[in-house]
Amino acid sequence: MKNVTTWLTRLLVALTAAVTALAGAAATAQAATPTAIRPATSFSICANSPIPSGYVITMINTAAPSCGGFAQYTIQTPVSTGILICQNSPIPSGYVITMINGADPSCDGYAGYFIRTPVSSGILICENSPIPAGYVVTRISGGDSSCDGYDGEFIVAA
């Protein structure tokens, strides 16, 4: 019986040491791992897939053989200083349209919209742009040339 007790005690000590070592290694690995996984800056999806929240369409390829007859979209997360997106792209909350390029070649015939986040001191946007919460229109300019025939609206933080 003494041999079994000695053997079980040694086994218990070894298991405790192993669990402690694994817990320490896991804590070290967790500390080295970022708390949030960031999405890829840019990747391609088939046009019959939903656009993930926060992403915009930056290019359309109708000749992509990998999508079985559907167009292929290049999508990415926008940057606050601006990005050119395709007209059929969702516009993320807080962004405004500041320029329209009719029939943009990278968008396979759709217009291209230049979007960015507004600044509190004011910015000229196209009238078909969403107006972010906390901003108001203070002036309208007729047929703004950068908006491909749409009026321009000057917005400032309220």
Side-chain angles (χ1 to χ4, degrees), residues 130-156:
I131 299 173
Y135 283 82
V136 294
V137 176
T138 61
R139 184 175 71 239
I140 297 174
S141 64
D144 192 278
S145 62
S146 63
C147 292
D148 198 36
Y150 284 99
D151 286 345
E153 298 178 334
F154 191 78
I155 63 169
V156 295

Side-chain angles (χ1 to χ4, degrees), residues 65-157:
S66 60
C67 288
F70 289 95
Q72 185 178 57
Y73 293 159
T74 299
I75 63 171
Q76 75 178 61
T77 53
V79 293
S80 62
T81 55
I83 187 171
L84 186 66
I85 68 169
C86 298
Q87 177 183 11
N88 63 327
S89 175
I91 298 174
S93 177
Y95 282 79
V96 294
I97 302 169
T98 60
M99 184 184 76
I100 300 173
N101 180 23
D104 192 281
S106 62
C107 294
D108 195 47
Y110 284 99
Y113 288 170
F114 188 81
I115 63 167
R116 60 163 295 142
T117 55
V119 292
S120 60
S121 59
I123 189 170
L124 185 67
I125 67 170
C126 300
E127 75 175 330
N128 62 329
S129 174
I131 299 173
Y135 283 82
V136 294
V137 176
T138 61
R139 184 175 71 239
I140 297 174
S141 64
D144 192 278
S145 62
S146 63
C147 292
D148 198 36
Y150 284 99
D151 286 345
E153 298 178 334
F154 191 78
I155 63 169
V156 295

Side-chain angles (χ1 to χ4, degrees), residues 1-2 4 7 11 14 19 31-32 38-41 46-47 49-50 71 75 101 104 112 114 118-119 124 145:
M1 185 71 155
K2 189 173 182 180
V4 173
W7 182 81
L11 180 63
V19 169
R38 297 183 184 206
T41 301
C46 296
S49 297
I75 63 171
N101 180 23
D104 192 281
F114 188 81
V119 292
L124 185 67
S145 62

